Amino acid sequence: MKNLNKILIIPIILACSIFGVSFADNSDCWIFGNLLYDNWFNIVNTSRETNSYSFTNFLSIDQQKAILTKNDLNTAILNLKKYCCENERWWLEQTQSTCENDKVFFNDNALDSPYLFDHIFDVIMRRLNWLSGDTNIYTKTNMTLDDKWAERRSFITKQATSTGWSDPQIIIDEAKKFRTSSSIYDISLYINNTFRELNNNNFLIYVSWSWDSEESEKIVANAMKNYNQWTLYERYINACALTEYFYALLDLWLSIDKNTIVNKLSNGSCDEIVKKQINGESSYVSLIEQRSANKFLSNYIEWYKSYLYERQEKLQNLLKDSKNRRLDVIRAVPGLQRQCTK
């Protein structure tokens, strides 16, 4: 089963290294490197899981937590800070108190990138596939696991490790539930375009739809309200869009140059990683389907062989009994003849 799991795994850390392009020291360390985690980053605390923040309160607290929790966003910032401290970016040093105080929370397998965008994307993708390389999901900040992925993996794993009869059609039908997609939940096109065209403030107004308008025009906001209805496939294809939303939500001080950099980093590369992950998920399920089909065929052949053996035994016993009865008749004939001639 370990070998099967490795087929699923897409090494996010290696894939995301394409984001680590150096643009002088135009990193996010100057904003987030000096923040102290100490259980909560204030910037997350004031903008997430609250009804008092204008760009968040279009969602209920439960709806916010369903998409991404405080712990998840804190993990992204903490992983960025780890990079900034260890690489001493923006005059940070590992011996400084801000680095020393949070060192105990640093995840060993964090992404090497000076950009918060990369770390948010990394967290979102890890929630959707649990594993990256040979290491588990981040644990030091109680990062959450996506419920749809957990449900799907639990079912697939159960089918893959079943020692009894296995029906490949069950896996095929169940997998379809996670691969379906609806245009009303695909927000990637709307968010990608506006993220590049608008400054952060106007972009967040667009996403939360703070303008007065018809309900039918609140495409992104309505889709995000129904995140629990998104299939696993829809959560994957919207991963880049959600990354852009959370990046803008946490970083309202982006300069025009930084926006240009983020656009270059995210344009195409982010979507390409998602496509590779979806293909990896599909390949894994296909392999399980093949194994299930082979097991089904093997079980059927074994059953049929057992059936034929049982039938053969019955036939042999029937022939043996027939011979015994025939011999009994033959032995009884002389006696019957004597009785008939008296």
Side-chain angles (χ1 to χ4, degrees), residues 227-261:
Y227 182 84
N228 283 329
Q229 303 299 319
W230 293 9
T231 64
L232 182 60
Y233 177 78
E234 288 165 340
R235 297 183 183 192
Y236 269 124
I237 62 175
N238 287 316
C240 299
L242 291 177
T243 301
E244 291 166 349
Y245 166 67
F246 286 112
Y247 187 64
L249 189 69
L250 296 180
D251 194 354
L252 289 172
W253 302 279
L254 283 176
S255 66
I256 295 177
D257 290 340
K258 179 60 73 63
N259 263 324
T260 301
I261 292 171

Side-chain angles (χ1 to χ4, degrees), residues 127-301:
R127 289 186 72 248
L128 290 171
N129 63 26
W130 182 253
L131 296 172
S132 179
D134 293 324
T135 49
N136 289 331
I137 198 169
Y138 301 130
T139 57
K140 292 187 178 181
T141 49
N142 297 317
M143 185 176 143
T144 62
L145 173 65
D146 183 84
D147 58 335
K148 275 288 194 298
W149 185 90
E151 177 187 348
R152 174 186 181 277
R153 173 43 70 90
S154 176
F155 172 81
I156 295 296
T157 301
K158 182 179 179 181
Q159 294 297 318
T161 59
S162 173
T163 58
W165 282 81
S166 184
D167 185 353
Q169 191 60 47
I170 295 177
I171 300 177
I172 294 172
D173 292 341
E174 188 68 18
K176 283 182 179 179
K177 298 178 183 178
F178 298 97
R179 289 200 295 257
T180 58
S181 177
S182 171
S183 58
I184 62 174
Y185 295 144
D186 185 356
I187 62 174
S188 57
L189 180 61
Y190 304 102
I191 287 189
N192 289 345
N193 288 341
T194 54
F195 182 72
R196 287 159 175 75
E197 294 171 358
L198 304 178
N199 61 43
N200 277 354
N201 190 72
N202 287 337
F203 168 71
L204 291 172
I205 290 175
Y206 169 79
V207 172
S208 58
W209 212 266
S210 301
W211 296 302
D212 293 329
S213 65
E214 296 295 330
E215 185 71 20
S216 60
E217 294 182 20
K218 302 178 182 180
I219 299 173
V220 176
N222 286 334
M224 292 177 69
K225 289 178 181 179
N226 291 288
Y227 182 84
N228 283 329
Q229 303 299 319
W230 293 9
T231 64
L232 182 60
Y233 177 78
E234 288 165 340
R235 297 183 183 192
Y236 269 124
I237 62 175
N238 287 316
C240 299
L242 291 177
T243 301
E244 291 166 349
Y245 166 67
F246 286 112
Y247 187 64
L249 189 69
L250 296 180
D251 194 354
L252 289 172
W253 302 279
L254 283 176
S255 66
I256 295 177
D257 290 340
K258 179 60 73 63
N259 263 324
T260 301
I261 292 171
V262 171
N263 291 343
K264 289 181 179 179
L265 291 173
S266 62
N267 187 22
S269 302
C270 181
D271 291 327
E272 192 62 32
I273 293 172
V274 171
K275 288 178 183 177
K276 289 181 180 179
Q277 181 60 31
I278 291 175
N279 290 337
E281 295 273 358
S282 298
S283 297
Y284 177 76
V285 173
S286 295
L287 181 59
I288 298 303
E289 289 172 357
Q290 292 174 16
R291 283 200 56 182
S292 176
N294 291 338
K295 185 181 294 185
F296 184 88
L297 180 61
S298 176
N299 287 341
Y300 181 80
I301 291 174

Side-chain angles (χ1 to χ4, degrees), residues 1 26 29 69 83 100 112 125 130 138 152 165 197 213 271 279 296 307 319 326:
M1 190 57 203
N26 232 336
C29 295
T69 68
Y83 174 89
E100 284 289 335
D112 286 332
M125 291 298 288
W130 182 253
Y138 301 130
R152 174 186 181 277
W165 282 81
E197 294 171 358
S213 65
D271 291 327
N279 290 337
F296 184 88
Y307 167 76
L319 289 174
R326 182 170 177 274

Side-chain angles (χ1 to χ4, degrees), residues 4 25 31 46 62 72 84 97 103 107 167-169 176 186 221 244 253 256 260 269 320 327 335:
L4 291 177
D25 195 6
I31 297 176
T46 56
D62 286 339
D72 303 328
C84 298
S97 59
K103 188 175 182 179
N107 293 292
D167 185 353
Q169 191 60 47
K176 283 182 179 179
D186 185 356
E244 291 166 349
W253 302 279
I256 295 177
T260 301
S269 302
K320 182 179 179 181
L327 291 174

